[in-house]
Amino acid sequence: MNQPIKGKELKSVLLKTLLRFNEFCTKNNIKYTIAYGTALGAIRHKGFIPWDDDIDVIMMRPEYEKFEKAWKQYILNSTDRYKLWPEMDEENYFMAFCAKFFDTETVLYEHFSKGKVVEYGVYIDIFVLDHIPIEKNEQRKLFMDVRFYWKWIQHFQRHFKKWNRFVRKCHLPLPNLDTMAKKLMECKNKYNRQLTPVVSLTQDYQKKTDFNKSIYKYDWFKEFIEVEFENNKVPIIKEYDDMLKQTYDDYMKLPPKEQQVGHNVEAYWK
């Protein structure tokens, strides 16, 4: 068994992954913000939340597309210990939900129900925001359409690999992973040209509560500042207070002890 990566060492690997990502984005003039628990940690703890063990960033759709194109071009002629699983890449187990940027000199196992285990590396999550309509019923319809095609993508990606290859090879006009991915991206891009006042991680929709907690004002993602994170500087939106209040309410208050738990990842050096 290879040497496990835990505690401070895991956070060190995560930090180096973020800094490599930040270095590449800075060099290519690509805008992003730290988000969720990473943003909360930066503001409340000047680094990781003590019990946290992951990193999240957010990019607007045009910035993410710029990043993906630049990384793919870079990696054609370079070697790098870091790898990108693009948002809509079939290799990405989390296809259509988020992109993953991870350290290939590590191996991380993520365990799911029914014994499914996904293997990649110590990672950061990249979430992509799209414009959405203002009217609530239109938002709900968009989120439900996105969720519909996203579920079909998971179905075709994980259970019908041979079918996807067959349809592609024979150029058949039949439902497969590619047709569902196309439909999903049509939904995601439907309002992007309109530059509506609100943006969202469109999958973050909970049908039972009819709620999407990741609906933000577009203007929040126009100005960025730098904030301290483990003695380094990383970008965050200038309106981080509004973003954190929306997600965590009184975010400077520590949660109860029983809620101070991480993701308990299983990671090793290769």
Side-chain angles (χ1 to χ4, degrees):
M1 178 66 72
N2 292 342
Q3 180 184 349
I5 309 173
K6 296 180 179 180
K8 290 183 179 179
E9 187 176 27
L10 175 60
K11 289 184 177 180
S12 175
V13 177
L14 277 166
L15 179 61
K16 288 176 182 176
T17 306
L18 174 62
L19 294 179
R20 177 68 185 104
F21 174 80
N22 181 70
E23 176 187 40
F24 187 83
C25 288
T26 301
K27 183 178 180 180
N28 290 276
N29 193 29
I30 296 167
K31 296 181 176 65
Y32 77 93
T33 178
I34 54 172
Y36 306 119
T38 310
L40 176 58
I43 300 305
R44 195 170 66 193
H45 305 277
K46 296 183 184 286
F48 287 100
I49 295 173
W51 54 89
D52 201 13
D53 49 20
D54 73 344
I55 286 181
D56 299 314
V57 304
I58 282 177
M59 306 175 99
M60 289 296 303
R61 173 70 56 192
E63 297 300 314
Y64 171 75
E65 290 178 346
K66 185 178 176 182
F67 168 72
E68 183 181 316
K69 182 179 179 181
W71 183 265
K72 286 181 175 178
Q73 186 62 42
Y74 157 74
I75 211 67
L76 281 175
N77 305 304
S78 306
T79 56
D80 202 293
R81 70 183 285 171
Y82 297 97
K83 180 175 181 178
L84 173 66
W85 270 358
E87 177 197 22
M88 296 302 294
D89 195 298
E90 190 172 356
E91 182 186 11
N92 182 358
Y93 183 80
F94 309 90
M95 180 183 181
F97 181 70
C98 68
K100 298 275 186 176
F101 186 78
F102 59 89
D103 185 344
T104 62
E105 294 186 11
T106 67
V107 59
L108 180 143
Y109 298 105
E110 192 146 2
H111 298 264
F112 296 91
S113 60
K114 299 180 181 179
K116 176 65 180 177
V117 180
V118 179
E119 177 183 330
Y120 49 120
V122 175
Y123 64 92
I124 65 174
D125 280 324
I126 305 170
F127 295 100
V128 185
L129 298 182
D130 292 293
H131 287 270
I132 61 171
I134 302 173
E135 206 277 322
K136 290 297 180 182
N137 285 331
E138 291 182 24
Q139 286 180 6
R140 189 178 300 110
K141 182 181 185 308
L142 177 65
F143 295 149
M144 291 183 70
D145 287 346
V146 165
R147 189 174 183 83
F148 174 80
Y149 291 118
W150 179 38
K151 290 296 183 183
W152 273 109
I153 282 172
Q154 292 178 313
H155 186 66
F156 279 112
Q157 180 197 22
R158 300 174 188 179
H159 307 297
F160 285 87
K161 296 182 187 297
K162 289 182 179 179
W163 172 258
N164 295 325
R165 290 195 293 269
F166 170 71
V167 172
R168 288 168 186 154
K169 182 178 179 180
C170 298
H171 304 286
L172 298 174
L174 296 171
N176 72 333
L177 179 62
D178 298 337
T179 57
M180 295 303 158
K182 182 180 179 181
K183 288 287 189 181
L184 178 71
M185 289 311 299
E186 286 174 358
C187 291
K188 285 176 175 283
N189 282 312
K190 186 175 181 180
Y191 296 90
N192 282 337
R193 292 189 183 88
Q194 300 178 28
L195 300 183
T196 58
V198 282
V199 294
S200 174
L201 172 64
T202 52
Q203 284 96 335
D204 205 4
Y205 174 66
Q206 301 171 29
K207 191 174 180 180
K208 290 183 179 179
T209 59
D210 196 22
F211 180 66
N212 183 324
K213 66 180 180 180
S214 296
I215 296 177
Y216 307 117
K217 293 181 180 179
Y218 174 44
D219 285 347
W220 291 358
F221 297 87
K222 291 181 178 180
E223 289 189 69
F224 300 79
I225 60 173
E226 287 193 327
V227 66
E228 184 177 335
F229 191 88
E230 300 296 336
N231 299 312
N232 295 274
K233 295 290 186 180
V234 292
I236 193 170
I237 57 171
K238 187 177 180 180
E239 306 298 332
Y240 68 81
D241 181 62
D242 290 323
M243 180 176 69
L244 290 174
K245 281 179 179 175
Q246 179 168 309
T247 306
Y248 301 105
D249 195 20
D250 184 7
Y251 62 86
M252 294 302 287
K253 181 180 178 181
L254 291 175
K257 276 286 184 181
E258 62 271 18
Q259 295 179 23
Q260 296 180 16
V261 292
H263 296 82
N264 195 28
V265 299
E266 182 184 355
Y268 305 89
W269 291 109
K270 282 188 174 179

